Structures are given as structure tokens and as C-alpha cells.
Amino acid sequence: MATSAKNAKVNPVSAQTQSESLGDSHKKSTSHDISGAEIVIRCLNAEKVKFVFGYPGGAVLHIYDEIFKQNGFKHILVRHEQAAVHAADAFSRATGEVGVALVTSGPGATNAVTGIATAYMDSIPLVVISGQVPVPAIGLDAFQEVDMVGITRPCVKHNFLVKDVRDIAATIKKAFYIASTGRPGPVVVDIPKDITAHKTSFHYPETVEMRSYNPVLKGHTGQIKKAIKLLLEAKRPMIYTGGGLVLGDGATELVKLARILNYPVTNTLMGLGGYPATDKQFVGMLGMHGTYEANMAMQNCDVLIAVGARFDDRVIGNPKHFLSQKRTIIHIDVDPSSISKRVKVDVPIVGHVQSVLAEMNALLATEVNQTGKSTKNDISDWWAQINEWRKVHGGRYEMSDTVIKPQYVIEKLWEVTKGDAYVTSDVGQHQMWAAQYYKFDKPRRWINSGGLGTMGVGLPYAMGCQFADKNAQVACVTGEGSIQMNIQELSTCAQYGLPIKVILLNNRYLGMVRQWQEFFYENRYSESYMDSLPDFVKLAESYGHVGMQITKPSDVESALKEAFAKKDKFVFMDFITEQSENVFPMVENGRGISEMILGDEKKESK
Amino acid sequence: MKHIVSLLMENEAGGLSRVAGLFSSRGYNIESLTVAATEDPTMSRMTIVTSGSDEVIEQIIKQLNKLIDVIKVLDLNDGKYIERELMLVKVKATTPHREEMKRMCDIFRGRIIDVAYGSFTIELTGSGTKLDAFIESLDKTAILETVRTGASGIGRGDRILKI
Ligand SMILES: Cc1cc2nc3c(=O)[nH]c(=O)nc-3n(C[C@H](O)[C@H](O)[C@H](O)COP(=O)(O)OP(=O)(O)OC[C@H]3O[C@@H](n4cnc5c(N)ncnc54)[C@H](O)[C@@H]3O)c2cc1C
Ligand SMILES: Cc1ncc(C[n+]2csc(CCOP(=O)(O)OP(=O)(O)O)c2C)c(N)n1
Ligand SMILES: [Mg+2]
């Protein structure tokens, strides 16, 4: 597949000419030549990669031999390739850098696919290097051969099969460039084993220019001006931001904009932390499990500005219902295909959030200076309405002094960590409670799988975060179903001494599935009970970690304090929580986002 | 509505599967797809005949542009264009129908490129609708075999797809 540098201008161009016959390049090696495997390492060093998450195997042994000899980056040996990719993914989410994973051919490669697809759905920049059988063996059903480029095509931003040692450097350069620019995403570089043995000279290109790939950075000024005019004339404005604001590091500019305008802000699940949750202009997350006020404001606003958010089906509910209310939509997104995909947009602005928002803020400032007019648009009626909505549900849940409420654990987690932890989660009810009750004030602190919703990400995500920031508090909020999908990583955490705190909200159910079965399948809990659970305390201890089981609400806070006081220990906290607790508010499938179930009515109908 | 989309992409292995994969994974219609290298051998040009609402076509164009190897995309339906397709048809041609068959071929400006004892092979170029019309006008039992290349398209006048 697309491998060679021949069609892209790569500067400075490798001294080697491309006209030599392909197969025998390795025979013409000179004393300056190094192996493909060493080139891979040198490229990663040139990219200043700090961690490579991986797992060895036959096809990548040459590369592992070079890893043994170098100390430019640290290799983290996981226990399953899926976890390698998740950890690299979380490292990227936490730092903004490109995450790197390395896996062998065949089963190593297929194990990595879930991780790649997870990163793809949430637009996370990764470079995944996979080993491949030697070029002459490709297509012959060789041992551990799998068509990695074919398998990953629908879930990568791009992928490459490198068939010539002289293409390795340019391809890796392109991979990092493609992964991290425009709408970010994972890039797979599949390298046959013989290519890593062949030798050539090494030149790492400093820049890449590709005639077929030129992501837009700057927004169209005319469109931006139009947007500002609309915003200033709005009666019921709403700012809706998503993962793109976090990925594009646009939070500072957004806070500026929101403060100038004094407009309400909501975040998607992926966008949490993009606007400080403790700020009074924040109305909470929106969507299927969003707050009453966020969903009502989203439905009833007259001017909506979407910033790096993609009108997901879990966000707008039934599109017909959403469109039944007239509103003008401004949409900032770096990917033109995100715009007008599910909802027709009036003012599209293709560009990077940071650059577009900065231009907006600058234009707003000059507008004030030149016209003397204030940008303070009076929307006090709208705020009054929103404050009424705030009282309707207000995130309440029933407390109990006998059984632990999962929401309570998260509230206490927020207090004990002073709102400053990296919080990763798995997928299910616990994920929603973490999103609803941990108030994220900073971007890149909330790490979860939104688009693919991959159970099993929580623990490897926590590893990625802890490597990203070794002194930070890292909490992994999980369920007893999800944690078992990558539980083997307890071993990796032991090997590297990662002081992660696992917050297991143990409801003995695949709770999210159970909730749907309760609501839509008349309580027929088909295969959603989690039987034969391990003793998590002993399990954790068997790896040398600290295990705790907490059963009483009165112990929650003290246990959390005790755990987080163990600064250098991995602590596994098994909270035995209310089994039948449901996530509210909830928008049922096919309903409009303003048609929420708030909880009380469900209880009555039971 | 039917649309003809032309695109230029890097002439590299797997390019075709990226485009075909995009259409199948996103559920877009694909009526025909033709591809060959251009005068610049580093590029290939594709013509895709597809159909869908305006919104779907807009997404198709955007998604094609998003493929890293795609250099340029043009919806030919945005302006004037010419569309040509080649078809080979093998028909029964036994007396007394041989003359009739030849006349039909002439009317459609086809050429008989192979003659055998009981059959003709006719070569016909034109728009897809012209080729359809030819097939329509033949006695179905006379058709032994047909093969079509799928459409190639090009803009009229100075509408040029080039980098
Ligand atoms: C159990 C479960 C329940 C869920 N419930 C909810 C819910 O209640 N509410 C909710 O919101 N989600 C929910 N989700 C998540 C949902 O499925 C989607 O993943 C999420 O809503 C998408 O977030 P987003 O719109 O911010 O888009 P993202 O997937 O984060 O996409 C980011 C967008 O920003 C753009 N972008 C990226 N970088 C830049 C840049 N630099 N500049 C400009 N644009 C950029 C991208 O092109 C893309 O369009 C749930 C998921 C699960 C698993
Ligand atoms: C890999 C994978 N398989 C299945 C699902 C479907 N699913 C979504 S949530 C869920 C239940 C999760 O249970 P648990 O981890 O105990 O969390 P809880 O909902 O109980 O908090 C399931 C099975 C999924 N998201 N991912
Ligand atoms: Mg559970």
C-alpha cells in the first residue's frame, strides 16, 4: 500500500535515489547503513517519543533487539496488545502528544484492532507499528500473517505497508504528521520482518508536504464575522462544545469567548473539562444522560454555536424532533465531513478550534473598540429560564445510609481528589455517573471511550495517564463487568509501580444493560447478572497491590482518603453499590432530547 | 439523483480498495467505478457513478476528499460534462436476422468488431442511457453476452480536473 516517498515531497529528499531496483537495496549497503529496525528506533527518537506501549513477537524481533540497545524512549510491556493501544491512546489524550504502540503480526495485530477503532472513533492521534511477515511470504497464508492494512482500513485515519527499507523513515514521518494534524486519528504502519533487517542510510525528513493532504487551519474570516453578528443578535444563545475543543487545545480561547458573551455552555461527554464545570455559566453535559437544563437549552436556543462537536445521535436524540425547533446553527470543525452530516448547518466554519476562536475573540474586541458598542447582549430572560430548568432535576439522587449509592462515591472522589485527578472510566452506568458527578475544571482530565464505547479501556487508560504524569492522582472508575475485560493489566501496573486508584462501582450487574432491560424489556434481565465474581481484594493483593472492599456509605469518604494517601501504591477499591440504581436523566432511543425521563416517574411506575 | 464524481488520487496499491471500502462501509450507492493511471503515472483518475440525495452526495464528496490519498474531487454534475461508456455486445445473428442486426448497430453508430457463423460482436460507445437504449431496442433472446466498462466523465470546455 501507500508506502513510498516517491509521490510526496519529503524535504530534505533522501540522498538515495529511488530508481534502484527495489528488491536488492539491502545488498548495496555501505558502512553508514543501518537496519530497518534501527531506523524505526531512530525515527521514534526523532519524534521525541517518550513511551512505546507494546508486546513482542516473531515479526518484530529485529525491532525489539534495537529497543534493547537504545534508551531514547521507554518501552512499556503490557499484558495484551489491546491494552497497549489503549494505554498509548490515553497517553495522547492526557498530553496531546501522539501515542505510540508496537505489536507483532497476526494475533498481535488483530488484538490491537479494538484499541485502534476506539481511538479512531474519538479522533485520537496514534501511530501503531505492526510487524508483518516477510515481503516474499505476503499473501501465502504464512504463519501469523494477517492483512493488517485491510483489516484496519475502516478504522484508521490512514495506513501504510512498507515494502522497502528506504521508505521506512519517510513513512513514519508521514504517519506522525497525518495522525496529529487536521482531525487527528490513528495511523497504522505495517512493516514486514525482512524490511527491518535490510539496511540503508538514515535520513529523517524534517518536514512533510503531501499534495493530497492539506488540512485547513484558519477559518474563513467572512464566515467568522457572520457568526459573530448572529451571536450578538441572539436572544437565546447556546455554546455547545465537544471533544474537538479538548483535542485542539482550544479551552482557553473558549473560556474567553464565553466570558465576553456571558452565554451558557454545555459539553458533550467527550468535551468535559473543555469548560470549567464549576463555573456558573456551565449547564452540565447534554445528551442521552445530560442534565435537564442542558438539554432544554439545547432544544430551545435560537442561536447555537457548536465547537468541535459532531451532533452525535446520543447528543441530539431524535433528529426530527431536534429540527422541529427552529434555530440558527454555527459550526466550527476542522473536518468538513462533520459539518451538516446529521444536522444542516447555517454557518459552517472549517478550521482549527484554537485559531478560529482566537480570531473570534480578536474580532469581538475590535468591534467593541471601534463601535463603542458593548458585546454584552442582554439575555437575562434566557438565564432566568435556564435557572428555572436547573431546579427541575438538579442532579439529585436518593441517599441511603445502608447501601452505597454510586453517585455518592463519585461526589466524594471529586472532593477527596480536589477535582484535580485524571479520571478514566470504562463503559456503562459508572461511566455516566463519573461524567455527571465529577466536576472537571480542566481539559484532558476526563479520559473515556465515547464513540466506540469500549468496555475494558479503563485500566489501560489509567496506565497511559499515569505514565503521562507520574505524580498525578489517577482514578479509574469502572464496573465489575468492564474491569474484567483488561484485568490482566494489574500485572503491568505492578511491574511499573503505577499508583493508580481503581474505583470499582460493583453492582453485580452489567448495569447499563440491566437498565435498558428494566425500561424496555419488562425486567427480563437476560444475561446481565455478573455471577462468580472474583474476590477483588485478594486478586489485587495477589499482584502485590492494596485491595479494599467498602460496603457502608459511612466508610466511603474515609476509604477514599486512605487510598489516596497511599501515594506510591496501587489501590483497588471494591465499592459494593446499590444494585438497581439507574442513570437519570435519560433520553430514550428515538425521543427528543427535551423528552427526558427524570427518574421519579419511573420509580412510581414500578 | 445520479451523479458522476471524478477524482484524482495517488497511484498507489490499495487506492481502489480505500474508495470502494468507503462506499460499502458508509452504505453509499455505487453504480460503476472506473480507474486507470493518468498521463502522469503517479496519479490515477477515477470516475464513480453514484446516486443519492443532495445531502448524501455532499457527504460522499467530503468523505472522498478526506481520504489521505485523494488529491482532488469534482462532482461533474456541478457543471457541463461529457460522459462516455464502452459496451461490447455479442448478439445472435443468424439469417434472416443478420441484416436487421446490422441495421440496429448502424442506427446506434455501433461497430461490428467480430463476426462469426451465428453471431456478431458489437462495440458501442456513448452515455449510459444510450447504451441502455440499445439494449432495450434489441430482442432480448438475441443477446448472448454484454460487457460494459462503466462511465468515464470529463468536464466540458475549460472545466479541467488537474493539479
Ligand atoms: C454508554 C454511553 C453513553 C453516552 N451518553 C452520552 C451523552 O449522554 N451525552 C454525550 O454527549 N455523549 C454521550 N456518549 C458519547 C457519544 O457516543 C459520542 O462519543 C460523543 O457524544 C461525541 O462527542 P463529540 O460530539 O464531542 O465528538 P468527538 O467524537 O469528540 O469529535 C470531535 C469533533 O471535533 C472535531 N475536531 C477535532 N479536532 C479539532 C480541532 N482541532 N479543531 C476543530 N475541530 C476539531 C472532529 O472533526 C469531530 O467532528 C455516550 C457514550 C456511551 C458509551
Ligand atoms: C466490549 C464491549 N462489549 C459489550 C458492550 C455493551 N455494554 C455496554 S455497557 C455494558 C455493561 C457494563 O457493565 P459494568 O462494567 O459492570 O458497568 P455498569 O454499567 O454496571 O456500571 C455492556 C455489556 C460494550 N460497550 N463493550
Ligand atoms: Mg456493573
Side-chain angles (χ1 to χ4, degrees):
Chain A
M1 186 123 322
T3 61
S4 70
K6 68 181 186 293
N7 296 335
K9 257 194 277 162
V10 177
N11 303 322
V13 181
S14 153
Q16 200 105 24
T17 63
Q18 295 285 335
S19 55
E20 287 172 346
S21 75
L22 291 183
D24 55 8
S25 56
H26 54 290
K27 290 176 195 152
K28 299 186 177 168
S29 58
T30 70
S31 58
H32 300 297
D33 290 352
I34 59 174
S35 72
E38 194 178 346
I39 290 176
V40 171
I41 305 304
R42 294 252 216 127
C43 292
L44 296 178
N45 288 335
E47 290 291 340
K48 304 198 172 52
V49 171
K50 299 184 191 89
F51 295 98
V52 172
F53 300 87
Y55 208 92
V60 286
L61 280 181
H62 296 319
I63 299 177
Y64 271 88
D65 193 44
E66 292 302 327
I67 288 178
F68 189 85
K69 301 176 197 159
Q70 63 93 43
N71 51 18
F73 58 79
K74 192 167 164 61
H75 179 275
I76 307 301
L77 178 68
V78 294
R79 300 299 182 266
H80 187 296
E81 289 87 351
Q82 181 188 346
V85 183
H86 288 328
D89 166 343
F91 182 84
S92 173
R93 293 183 200 233
T95 60
E97 294 166 30
V98 177
V100 182
L102 171 62
V103 298
T104 191
S105 70
T110 54
N111 272 351
V113 172
T114 301
I116 295 168
T118 302
Y120 178 70
M121 289 298 279
D122 291 341
S123 306
I124 306 303
L126 292 185
V127 170
V128 178
I129 298 175
S130 53
Q132 183 53 278
V133 300
V135 174
I138 292 179
L140 302 179
D141 301 320
F143 177 64
Q144 294 193 330
E145 177 182 3
V146 70
D147 175 10
M148 185 59 166
V149 162
I151 283 182
T152 59
R153 192 185 307 115
C155 60
V156 291
K157 184 168 174 187
H158 198 55
N159 54 22
F160 298 94
L161 169 64
V162 187
K163 282 182 152 178
D164 187 323
V165 66
R166 290 166 301 170
D167 292 335
I168 292 178
T171 305
I172 292 180
K173 179 75 196 178
K174 278 202 240 172
F176 276 87
Y177 172 64
I178 292 169
S180 59
T181 52
R183 179 179 184 164
V187 177
V188 166
V189 182
D190 198 32
I191 313 181
K193 185 170 186 181
D194 53 339
I195 301 306
T196 59
H198 294 176
K199 288 189 168 180
T200 191
S201 59
F202 175 67
H203 305 275
Y204 200 61
E206 259 158 37
T207 57
V208 193
E209 246 178 73
M210 294 171 71
R211 63 181 175 186
S212 64
Y213 176 71
N214 297 291
V216 180
L217 262 180
K218 205 180 149 322
H220 189 282
T221 305
Q223 293 289 89
I224 294 177
K225 285 187 172 152
K226 229 194 262 176
I228 289 180
K229 186 159 176 296
L230 280 167
L231 281 171
L232 292 179
E233 287 166 358
K235 297 271 179 304
R236 300 185 309 280
M238 179 76 174
I239 302 174
Y240 146 59
T241 84
L245 183 73
V246 175
L247 294 169
D249 294 318
T252 317
E253 293 295 341
L254 182 93
V255 169
K256 233 190 251 172
L257 180 77
R259 294 265 158 78
I260 298 174
L261 296 167
N262 184 37
Y263 288 175
V265 184
T266 182
N267 291 163
T268 67
L269 180 72
M270 299 316 296
L272 293 175
Y275 191 82
T278 52
D279 187 273
K280 64 181 188 340
Q281 280 169 248
F282 189 62
V283 295
M285 179 173 86
L286 83 169
M288 179 176 270
H289 294 298
T291 65
Y292 185 78
E293 52 272 30
N295 284 349
M296 291 304 281
M298 183 78 172
Q299 182 70 8
N300 293 292
C301 63
D302 67 343
V303 175
L304 176 67
I305 177 166
V307 185
R310 56 186 174 85
F311 293 89
D312 186 79
D313 44 323
R314 293 220 152 173
V315 168
I316 59 161
N318 182 332
K320 278 212 191 80
H321 180 273
F322 183 66
L323 294 172
S324 65
Q325 193 77 24
K326 177 100 196 67
R327 62 177 90 59
T328 305
I329 302 179
I330 303 158
H331 191 174
I332 306 172
D333 204 293
V334 75
D335 177 1
S337 77
S338 279
I339 298 178
S340 291
K341 181 163 69 181
R342 315 190 79 248
V343 169
K344 191 101 193 107
V345 166
D346 302 284
V347 184
I349 303 174
V350 177
H352 193 287
V353 277
Q354 216 179 59
S355 136
V356 174
L357 291 173
E359 190 171 346
M360 280 190 142
N361 288 332
L363 284 170
L364 273 171
T366 49
E367 175 124 344
V368 178
N369 291 341
Q370 283 170 4
T371 62
K373 266 196 293 181
S374 162
T375 50
K376 284 276 179 277
N377 178 14
D378 180 16
I379 56 155
S380 48
D381 289 352
W382 179 231
W383 270 119
Q385 171 69 76
I386 289 171
N387 289 331
E388 283 307 308
W389 285 330
R390 277 179 161 152
K391 293 177 201 155
V392 175
H393 182 259
R396 70 169 177 277
Y397 61 92
E398 238 173 80
M399 251 317 268
S400 153
D401 17 289
T402 47
V403 52
I404 299 175
K405 291 289 180 162
Q407 301 94 327
Y408 177 70
V409 177
I410 306 294
E411 282 182 337
K412 289 295 154 193
L413 174 68
W414 179 72
E415 282 176 29
V416 168
T417 57
K418 304 193 170 57
D420 203 34
Y422 287 84
V423 178
T424 76
S425 95
D426 266 301
V427 172
Q429 291 182 314
H430 61 274
Q431 177 188 20
M432 293 301 112
W433 288 316
Q436 291 175 332
Y437 293 92
Y438 198 99
K439 298 193 254 316
F440 293 94
D441 279 339
K442 291 183 201 160
R444 300 192 179 281
R445 288 297 165 108
W446 165 237
I447 316 282
N448 82 133
S449 164
L452 201 66
T454 308
M455 285 171 71
V457 296
L459 186 53
Y461 272 3
M463 291 164 20
C465 292
Q466 197 74 75
F467 282 115
D469 192 343
K470 69 176 190 319
N471 298 317
Q473 308 179 85
V474 178
C476 163
V477 176
T478 184
E480 75 298 325
S482 295
I483 192 72
Q484 293 187 81
M485 285 211 181
N486 267 317
I487 192 100
Q488 76 286 344
E489 297 307 316
L490 287 174
S491 172
T492 313
C493 294
Q495 178 173 348
Y496 297 97
L498 304 179
I500 292 163
K501 310 295 180 273
V502 171
I503 314 294
L504 169 59
L505 302 180
N506 188 343
N507 54 8
R508 286 82 74 214
Y509 271 117
L510 300 176
M512 188 55 97
V513 172
R514 191 205 54 74
Q515 176 169 350
W516 283 55
Q517 289 170 335
E518 177 186 332
F519 290 9
F520 312 123
Y521 298 90
E522 299 166 323
N523 304 329
R524 288 187 298 278
Y525 296 148
S526 177
E527 307 295 324
S528 56
Y529 183 70
M530 276 276 104
D531 211 337
S532 305
L533 290 174
D535 178 333
F536 287 109
V537 172
K538 281 195 195 144
L539 182 67
E541 284 169 356
S542 75
Y543 285 100
H545 299 316
V546 177
M548 295 165 87
Q549 190 180 63
I550 304 94
T551 55
K552 289 207 290 283
S554 53
D555 291 341
V556 169
E557 185 168 356
S558 53
L560 283 166
K561 282 186 173 150
E562 185 188 332
F564 278 94
K566 297 185 196 300
K567 290 209 181 314
D568 54 353
K569 276 293 193 187
F570 184 108
V571 184
F572 195 116
M573 309 184 76
D574 182 11
F575 290 92
I576 306 302
T577 60
E578 167 79 89
Q579 273 196 288
S580 59
E581 194 69 20
N582 289 321
V583 183
F584 293 114
M586 174 171 186
V587 179
E588 294 180 35
N589 256 357
R591 291 304 185 105
I593 45 164
S594 56
E595 305 174 314
M596 285 159 275
I597 314 173
L598 297 181
D600 323 293
E601 60 275 50
K602 270 282 164 193
K603 288 242 164 57
E604 279 154 27
S605 67
K606 251 203 287 189
Chain B
M1 200 189 125
K2 193 178 113 173
H3 277 250
I4 302 192
V5 179
S6 279
L7 65 85
L8 289 173
M9 71 187 299
E10 299 292 357
N11 185 12
E12 285 175 7
L16 177 61
S17 64
R18 286 181 204 278
V19 174
L22 173 70
F23 275 75
S24 68
S25 68
R26 293 194 181 261
Y28 304 142
N29 292 319
I30 188 158
E31 241 166 70
S32 72
L33 187 161
T34 65
V35 59
T38 64
E39 77 286 358
D40 170 353
T42 67
M43 271 192 294
S44 37
R45 174 151 173 162
M46 238 178 238
T47 308
I48 304 163
V49 180
T50 179
S51 60
S53 63
D54 289 352
E55 291 78 41
V56 169
I57 299 293
E58 184 182 332
Q59 266 298 312
I60 291 177
I61 304 284
K62 285 175 171 176
Q63 293 292 346
L64 284 170
N65 264 312
K66 202 167 143 179
L67 292 176
I68 304 293
D69 284 340
V70 169
I71 303 167
K72 244 183 184 174
V73 183
L74 179 68
D75 181 354
L76 286 177
N77 291 57
D78 284 346
K80 295 206 168 104
Y81 67 94
I82 303 162
E83 168 203 348
R84 285 292 179 275
E85 183 174 356
L86 171 73
M87 173 168 69
L88 303 176
V89 197
K90 191 170 288 179
V91 291
K92 258 192 232 161
T94 44
T95 39
H97 306 298
R98 270 176 101 86
E99 268 313 303
E100 168 65 15
M101 202 47 95
K102 182 161 178 347
R103 233 189 341 270
M104 283 302 292
C105 174
D106 288 342
I107 291 170
F108 280 86
R109 298 186 197 290
R111 291 196 308 144
I112 296 175
I113 54 172
D114 186 44
V115 178
Y117 171 65
S119 70
F120 287 155
T121 299
I122 299 169
E123 172 195 315
L124 194 64
T125 54
S127 67
T129 42
K130 175 183 161 181
L131 304 191
D132 292 342
F134 181 62
I135 296 284
E136 280 298 303
S137 63
L138 292 180
D139 170 8
K140 295 289 158 302
T141 60
I143 302 174
L144 297 171
E145 194 181 350
T146 64
V147 53
R148 296 171 69 149
T149 56
S152 290
I154 196 163
R156 277 196 184 272
D158 46 19
R159 271 191 98 198
I160 290 164
L161 177 62
K162 217 180 156 78
I163 53 164

